[in-house]
Amino acid sequence: MEIAQALEVIWAARWALLAGLGNTILISVLSILMGTALGLVVGLILTYGNPVLRFVVRLYSDFLRGTPVFVLILACFYILSVVDIQLSAYEAGIFALTLFCSSHVGEIVLGALKAIPKGQTEAAKSVGLTFFGTFFSVLLPQALRMILPTWVTTATEIVKASTLLSVIGVVELLLGVQQVIARTFLSLELYFFAGFVFFLLNFAIEKAGRFVERKVAIPS
Amino acid sequence: MDYDFNFAAVWRNFDLLLSGLGLGLVLALVSIAIGCVIGLFTAFGMLSKHRLLRWAAHGYVSAIRNTPILVLILFTFFALPQLGLRLGKIESFIVTLAVYSGAYLTEVFRSGLVALPPGLREAGLTIGLTELGTKVRITIPIMFRNVLPALGNNFISLFKDTSLAAAIAVPELTFHARKINVETFRVIETWLVASLMYVFACAIIAALLRRVERHLAIPG
Amino acid sequence: MSVPVLEITNLHKRFGDVEVLKGIDLTMQRGDVVSLIGSSGSGKTTLLRCVNLLEDYEEGIVAVAGEQIGYRQQNGRRVRLREREIARQRAMTGMTFQHFNLFPHMSAIRNVMLGLVRTRKMPKDEAYATAETWLDRVGMKDRKDHFPGQLSGGQQQRVAIARAIAMNPELMLFDEVTSALDPELVSEVLAVVKGLAADGMTMLLVTHEMQFAHDVSDRVVFMQDGRIGEEGPPDTLFHNPKSERLAAFLKSSKF
């Protein structure tokens, strides 16, 4: 019975696979957090920055979004080593995913801030709020709610993109599974297993996102 | 950082990179064409009266969207032969990308169909068209024009995803870039040129798509 | 007397638990112009939509030119017709909508030609000539190559009327043709409808324009709560309403 055999193999390799899953989660969380922080800055500059700064950041974002994330990962991995920045594959991968995430979050932030009607800023000014006051108590709370659904999608994109680190030798879940396949040749069962675990991970993220969305929704 | 830039090695191999870019575009085009057919059927499945069809359509979309594309690529190429389905690298990649894009296009088409005023279908019926005739002559053509921008974005991200074909040694742009990188050690030059080729290709595709959109736009 | 163009017998229609039509009987002979009036929710639009089966009905018979629409009796049970049959039957009637529902991706003349070519299987050049004739008739010939988005509401509605009538239907159904129009565009559309009535077209209208209903109709039907409340020649109905409900309705409609 091949399914039973596959389950046995998975069970036998449980610690290695769990370590892989742990890496996948750690890589994703770090990339998403750092990428979001960087992305907020990108978005703010794109919205409010002076023309020169805006131009530079626009190039940054367009370049990153025009490049496939796989190329970004390979480029970071190979390039960082020749310019004497000693990063492990693990770190180079997280660096690439962080850049990727930042450009996407930047565009989301820009879009949300632009979508808030001008009247909101005018109304905030008319009650005497400063630029920062307007931004933090009027614009940001509205923008964050708009950003949430797309941000959750970006998060799942990062989780999926983290599998690409397997190609540069980072033992995350996919490479962990591939190592088991190399020993057992159960590619059908184990690739299916990998896909299923990722499905569960992303499905959970999406559901959690929906839950938070409902929680913070403005009543109407 | 003391790094002497020397692009000679990259220019020597530029024809390889260009042919790789061409192959990537062809892969993306063929895949999205098949993906459109899949997406259209699944979109109607999602809107069907039959619960089973709706479940099947939702299941397909949510399974594909939550699974990393690299896992899908490896699964199709390495695991399906276990079931007796042996495909060449290129065919296997096209199948994967088509099924993958089909899931995303389902969402695009579904929301396009839902957004159409119901009166259009009724007007088609009143002049004696069948349900199928109404779809073919009226609903689908209008929906298609309305979702063209989203379709274009999907094509661009699909084109970027063709970089992953390198993982199963399909000789597209990223595959050649890696080879040139390893053979010449002109690391920065190689990856800079490769990513710029992606960036410009995406920009050109986007510009072309905007022209197509304008050309196909419904007057008024 | 010949076969009635429209014969509705004991028509019942439910939306879930709500019965919106509770037994309607209505007969129209060739050349009749009948207006359905009544407050919103009285069932008049639903009645119209049952005639070409945009709404299914649960009980009773709707027959156009002697042919039951949508169903046939088999061993004493109602069986829904095949889709192709229903499509053919729908083409026996022409319908115009409150929101015109022109096909936005086709020019005015292609809107009119579509049914002629696809349903009537007319050759393209003949369909073009027919469509042109009808667009001329509704005063839209000079805009035949315009797209719906380039036309005013009144112009769109006139094209929609041409699209329906070019199919040479037994019966025309008008569903609140002027409700979505700016006031200054109403008269151009009503003039077209009056012209068709004068030509002897058989027409069933749902309208909120009481003056128009009075002028154009042979008979007016007042609907209330899914039933026919009162029915008769326009002068009788509008000037001597029998029921309180109709009197109140006419008063609120500023007739």
Side-chain angles (χ1 to χ4, degrees), chain C residues 15-221:
Chain C
F15 287 119
D17 292 339
V18 189
E19 191 170 34
V20 284
L21 296 178
K22 302 170 183 167
I24 303 283
D25 296 283
L26 183 68
T27 304
M28 289 175 69
Q29 300 296 338
R30 186 157 305 282
D32 278 359
V33 177
V34 174
S35 291
L36 300 172
I37 61 170
S39 52
S40 56
S42 60
K44 49 195 196 309
T45 289
T46 307
L47 172 58
L48 201 70
R49 289 164 61 88
C50 283
V51 174
N52 62 2
L53 216 70
L54 284 183
E55 304 288 355
D56 294 339
Y57 53 92
E58 282 83 32
E59 207 185 315
I61 291 177
V62 175
V64 172
E67 189 178 330
Q68 184 180 356
I69 297 295
Y71 305 90
R72 66 194 155 83
Q73 306 298 325
Q74 190 175 3
N75 306 330
R77 284 177 41 209
R78 267 160 118 243
V79 184
R80 202 168 196 277
L81 294 176
R82 290 169 172 281
E83 219 218 307
R84 203 159 273 286
E85 271 300 289
I86 292 174
R88 184 188 58 77
Q89 290 184 333
R90 282 200 179 109
M92 294 164 65
T93 54
M95 183 169 190
T96 58
F97 302 84
Q98 186 177 353
H99 295 288
F100 336 131
N101 295 346
L102 287 182
F103 308 130
H105 61 314
M106 296 177 179
S107 61
I109 193 152
R110 295 238 294 122
N111 259 280
V112 183
M113 285 169 66
L114 183 66
L116 299 176
V117 175
R118 291 288 144 202
T119 311
R120 294 276 182 253
K121 306 292 176 201
M122 212 182 255
K124 278 222 166 116
D125 47 348
E126 193 187 334
Y128 191 94
T130 310
E132 206 170 32
T133 311
W134 280 108
L135 284 175
D136 193 21
R137 181 63 211 281
V138 299
M140 290 298 297
K141 190 181 168 189
D142 54 335
R143 310 244 159 150
K144 63 176 191 283
D145 294 322
H146 284 53
F147 282 77
Q150 299 168 316
L151 300 172
S152 75
Q155 292 170 333
Q156 289 190 56
Q157 193 60 292
R158 285 188 279 151
V159 174
I161 292 171
R163 176 176 72 183
I165 201 134
M167 299 285 289
N168 192 22
E170 302 278 334
L171 167 70
M172 277 290 291
L173 307 168
F174 293 92
D175 187 9
E176 301 190 20
V177 276
T178 57
S179 300
L181 297 178
D182 291 336
E184 70 271 20
L185 301 176
V186 168
S187 60
E188 64 184 66
V189 173
L190 293 187
V192 168
V193 180
K194 277 184 184 163
L196 294 174
D199 284 0
M201 187 76 221
T202 318
M203 311 201 295
L204 181 60
L205 310 101
V206 169
T207 184
H208 289 138
E209 302 274 340
M210 292 305 144
Q211 187 61 51
F212 169 70
H214 176 268
D215 295 349
V216 80
S217 315
D218 304 313
R219 234 177 335 143
V220 175
V221 173

Side-chain angles (χ1 to χ4, degrees), chain A residues 149-170:
Chain A
T150 351
W151 183 78
V152 170
T153 310
T154 306
T156 61
E157 291 299 324
I158 299 288
V159 173
K160 289 189 275 178
S162 74
T163 54
L164 303 181
L165 268 56
S166 65
V167 177
I168 55 171
V170 176

Side-chain angles (χ1 to χ4, degrees), chain A residues 63-64 66-89 91-97 99-100 164-165 167-168, chain B residues 1 3 5 163-164 166 173-182 185-199:
Chain A
F63 180 80
L64 288 179
T67 309
V69 61
F70 187 40
V71 173
L72 212 58
I73 289 167
L74 293 175
C76 285
F77 176 63
Y78 291 120
I79 290 178
L80 290 178
S81 59
V82 295
V83 294
D84 291 333
I85 299 176
Q86 292 307 326
L87 287 184
S88 63
E91 291 157 339
I94 292 179
F95 181 69
L97 289 179
L99 293 182
F100 172 75
L164 303 181
L165 268 56
V167 177
I168 55 171
Chain B
M1 155 185 143
Y3 185 91
F5 280 90
S163 62
L164 293 169
L173 179 49
T174 306
F175 176 84
H176 284 307
R178 263 179 107 185
K179 230 174 104 194
I180 296 167
N181 175 32
V182 173
F185 295 109
R186 303 317 310 178
V187 179
I188 300 184
E189 295 86 335
T190 309
W191 291 109
L192 193 64
V193 170
S195 19
L196 281 177
M197 284 174 80
Y198 275 111
V199 171

